[in-house]
Amino acid sequence: MQLRLYDTLTKEKRPFTPLDPSNVRMYVCGPTVYDFAHIGNARPVIVFDVLFRLLRHLYGEAHVTYVRNITDVDDKINDRAARDFPGLPLNEAIRKVTELTEKQFHDDVDALGALRPTVEPRATEHIAEMRTIIEKLVQGGFAYVAEDHVLFSPQAMNAANSVLPRYGALANRSLDEMIAGARVDVAPYKRDSTDFVLWKPAKPGEPSWPSPSGISVPGRPGWHIECSAMAWKHLGEQFDIHGGGIDLVFPHHENELAQSACAFHSDRMANVWMHNGFLQVESEKMSKSLGNFITIRESLADWPGEVLRLNMLKTHYRSPIDWTSKALEESAKTLDDWYEIAADARADRPSDAVIDALSDDLNTPQMIAALHGLRNVAASGSERDRGEFAATLRLLGFLSESAAEWKGRKQQASGVDARQIDDLISNRTAARARKDFKESDRIRDELAAMGVVIKDSREGTTWEIAR
RNA sequence: GGCCACGUGGCGGAGUGGUUACGCAACGGUCUGCAAAACCGUGCACUCGGGUUCGAUUCCCGACGUGGCCUCCA
């Protein structure tokens, strides 16, 4: 089945045709590294990891380039550095914060079963490209210098009679609406309220670089220009897919698109713009003030990464998702079952039904339904059926452990003593053999109180930890 | 205030102009000393009001409800 993807810009689901099938190119906005990533940050990581895996399956592993940036220049980083390392020079403190946070982020998303992107560029290593784009924009009349800032003018962009897209097309609103809806105080150096910063002077002590466009004081880049620069460097002037959270549509992606299109005199930046929906926690917006702010790290203490991953995929990526412990329990139960059936099978070929579901704009709920179908066939089927099920799950980033490891992890987390359990079970088996069911039931209750569920079968009694 | 998305069974959640989503839970059965697990089976839906249509959960309009963006928050 032909891959079809929904494009935020044209608001339609349409067949995906790569610019170059031998190098399919995708850019996704990555984290700003100032603190632990929260569970909402995990959504684009998982969603676009699934897309990355699908593209690799369809076009070959060597023919997909996935770029996810790391934003390491930002006010929040500076604040954090000053707070956590008051004794150090700011630049050194900032490096400590970004290095530490980047490692935390990698550990977290590795645990979620996400493949590393092909390239993970850092903003601070692409200042030269940012300056180049800014110079192009100033020369092209799309940007201007004012009080040591460089500002981009959407008005100038829309006034230009050319192939350029209309500013506001991605966010689906007109410039007039944006002017009317402006709620923030307009900086005095802006010609129009809709102008946004490409470059700004650095405050004393902040990280800074030589400014472009004849500005004498050192400065630092605006947020949007970072992604334009990194995408250009690693994917070229045009590429296939640009992704991120839906909150980034405006202003971030609108502005990125404007910068790149104007700098390169192009009618587009990416062919497809994809945005994942937001996440709520127990039906409430996640926020620090509500006290329901969950980091990936905290979730990983309660659940294996694959449980979080499956749970995230139960909802289509464009819909809002309600993150609840009830849903996580269901996901855990499902994975327990899948591990038992498939984890130790020798992988065969992945299932077409699952690839087809994903090919329909990443219909992961449909994909999961197909997995349940494969599971039922595998449970009573041949080694090959189990192999197909296993291969499909592995393609999707599941089954990274053996069945024994998976089970053992759960036992370890529960803190029960396996030898003690075994002893109790032998006592119970003995009691049952002499038909002392009162005693055998008592032992079963004792085990249940410890959170242990037993299963009797012809081969004997096994046990596991109840969720 | 402006713009946008969504509203499916007890719960989660796809999809479709007329035919089973899927999972969890529930219920019945097989098995079991009794359970649990497993397996087999059953029931349950499309916010409300109009319209288009032979026929609408699916298309159009309206109401109500929920959520998002307009603030460098994924």
Side-chain angles (χ1 to χ4, degrees):
Chain A
M1 184 188 282
Q2 160 87 50
L3 172 60
R4 291 153 54 84
L5 296 172
Y6 181 86
D7 176 24
T8 307
L9 181 58
T10 54
K11 292 161 199 56
E12 62 181 1
K13 190 156 66 171
R14 60 166 193 275
F16 174 74
T17 312
L19 293 165
D20 174 5
S22 71
N23 185 18
V24 182
R25 308 191 294 277
M26 171 163 80
Y27 186 93
V28 175
C29 290
T32 300
V33 282
Y34 68 99
D35 203 349
F36 281 110
H38 58 70
I39 195 69
N41 293 304
R43 194 168 190 193
V45 168
I46 292 170
V47 163
F48 291 104
D49 178 66
V50 169
L51 180 55
F52 182 37
R53 289 168 179 271
L54 175 65
L55 292 170
R56 281 157 55 102
H57 177 77
L58 295 175
Y59 295 97
E61 290 189 6
H63 303 295
V64 183
T65 304
Y66 172 24
V67 179
R68 185 180 62 206
N69 71 289
I70 287 173
T71 296
D72 59 353
V73 47
D74 183 273
D75 285 336
K76 288 194 289 283
I77 297 173
N78 299 349
D79 294 348
R80 174 107 196 175
R83 197 188 78 203
D84 287 3
F85 302 98
L88 289 179
L90 186 58
N91 280 323
E92 224 171 287
I94 286 170
R95 185 151 30 80
K96 280 204 181 280
V97 168
T98 56
E99 278 175 7
L100 177 69
T101 311
E102 195 180 314
K103 179 168 188 322
Q104 289 167 349
F105 178 75
H106 279 144
D107 289 346
D108 287 347
V109 301
D110 286 351
L112 295 174
L115 299 171
R116 293 287 179 96
T118 321
V119 189
E120 286 193 281
R122 290 185 192 80
T124 53
E125 292 168 4
H126 296 74
I127 303 291
E129 287 79 7
M130 296 180 208
R131 290 167 43 109
T132 302
I133 294 177
I134 291 171
E135 300 280 11
K136 281 175 187 282
L137 291 172
V138 171
Q139 279 160 26
F142 299 107
Y144 60 93
V145 176
E147 295 184 23
D148 297 332
H149 293 67
V150 184
L151 293 144
F152 184 93
S153 168
Q155 310 266 18
M157 175 180 175
N158 280 4
N161 191 11
S162 68
V163 299
L164 297 175
R166 177 181 66 81
Y167 184 85
L170 187 66
N172 193 32
R173 68 187 78 162
S174 72
L175 221 37
D176 289 345
E177 281 167 8
M178 291 183 215
I179 294 163
R183 297 192 310 192
V184 280
D185 292 337
V186 179
Y189 48 79
K190 287 188 180 179
R191 288 182 192 163
D192 293 297
S193 62
T194 49
D195 296 350
F196 61 88
V197 170
L198 298 175
W199 190 267
K200 58 189 169 188
K203 300 193 194 87
E206 277 183 347
S208 63
W209 295 266
S211 295
S213 307
I215 297 168
S216 57
V217 300
R220 40 186 285 223
W223 176 36
H224 316 303
I225 197 69
E226 298 174 12
C227 286
S228 283
M230 289 183 268
W232 175 42
K233 169 79 179 289
H234 299 283
L235 299 175
E237 294 180 1
Q238 287 187 10
F239 50 96
D240 296 296
I241 298 167
H242 192 130
I246 195 166
D247 59 316
L248 294 181
V249 171
F250 191 88
H252 186 53
H253 288 169
E254 188 75 58
N255 292 351
E256 260 186 68
L257 169 58
Q259 293 159 354
S260 294
C262 290
F264 307 123
H265 305 289
S266 164
D267 66 333
R268 72 195 63 193
M269 182 183 189
N271 264 343
V272 186
W273 291 82
M274 294 177 69
H275 295 95
N276 62 273
F278 250 49
L279 177 146
Q280 287 187 288
V281 172
E282 305 288 352
S283 302
E284 284 188 313
K285 180 168 177 152
M286 180 166 66
S287 73
K288 283 181 175 159
S289 59
L290 280 172
N292 62 352
F293 195 89
I294 307 174
T295 62
I296 299 174
R297 188 60 59 95
E298 288 162 348
S299 302
L300 286 170
D302 294 334
W303 307 97
E306 289 184 25
V307 169
L308 306 181
R309 183 179 181 86
L310 177 62
N311 200 247
M312 200 68 85
L313 297 175
K314 286 207 290 201
T315 304
H316 185 89
Y317 76 92
R318 283 191 277 122
S319 301
I321 186 171
D322 193 12
W323 197 256
T324 64
S325 54
K326 184 171 183 290
L328 284 162
E329 277 165 30
E330 265 189 38
S331 299
K333 193 185 274 192
T334 302
L335 270 174
D336 285 348
D337 179 55
W338 289 356
Y339 257 91
E340 200 170 321
I341 291 172
D344 296 336
R346 220 188 66 217
D348 205 276
R349 294 188 46 218
S351 148
D352 286 340
V354 163
I355 300 302
D356 285 352
L358 289 177
S359 296
D360 181 17
D361 191 34
L362 297 185
N363 192 337
T364 53
Q366 188 66 54
M367 167 197 94
I368 289 169
L371 287 172
H372 286 302
L374 292 174
R375 177 258 176 230
N376 287 336
V377 172
S380 57
S382 65
E383 189 55 36
R384 215 186 132 180
D385 294 327
R386 279 188 292 281
E388 182 184 30
F389 185 39
T392 308
L393 287 170
R394 295 213 173 93
L395 176 74
L396 299 170
F398 295 104
L399 260 45
S400 60
E401 300 177 354
S402 70
E405 284 167 339
W406 182 262
K407 216 173 156 179
R409 168 211 280 267
K410 207 164 134 186
Q411 285 174 17
Q412 210 171 13
S414 73
V416 301
D417 177 1
R419 272 194 48 199
Q420 188 195 354
I421 305 296
D422 289 339
D423 287 348
L424 284 166
I425 287 177
S426 350
N427 290 347
R428 174 171 171 275
T429 305
R432 290 178 72 208
R434 62 178 187 267
K435 302 236 188 290
D436 182 357
F437 297 122
K438 202 177 160 195
E439 171 65 4
S440 70
D441 288 354
R442 188 198 64 74
I443 294 173
R444 186 167 67 200
D445 290 345
E446 188 183 338
L447 288 164
M450 296 163 69
V452 172
V453 184
I454 54 176
K455 298 179 190 176
D456 293 330
S457 72
R458 278 178 200 81
E459 293 77 37
T461 301
T462 60
W463 62 277
E464 66 180 39
I465 303 300
R467 279 281 175 200

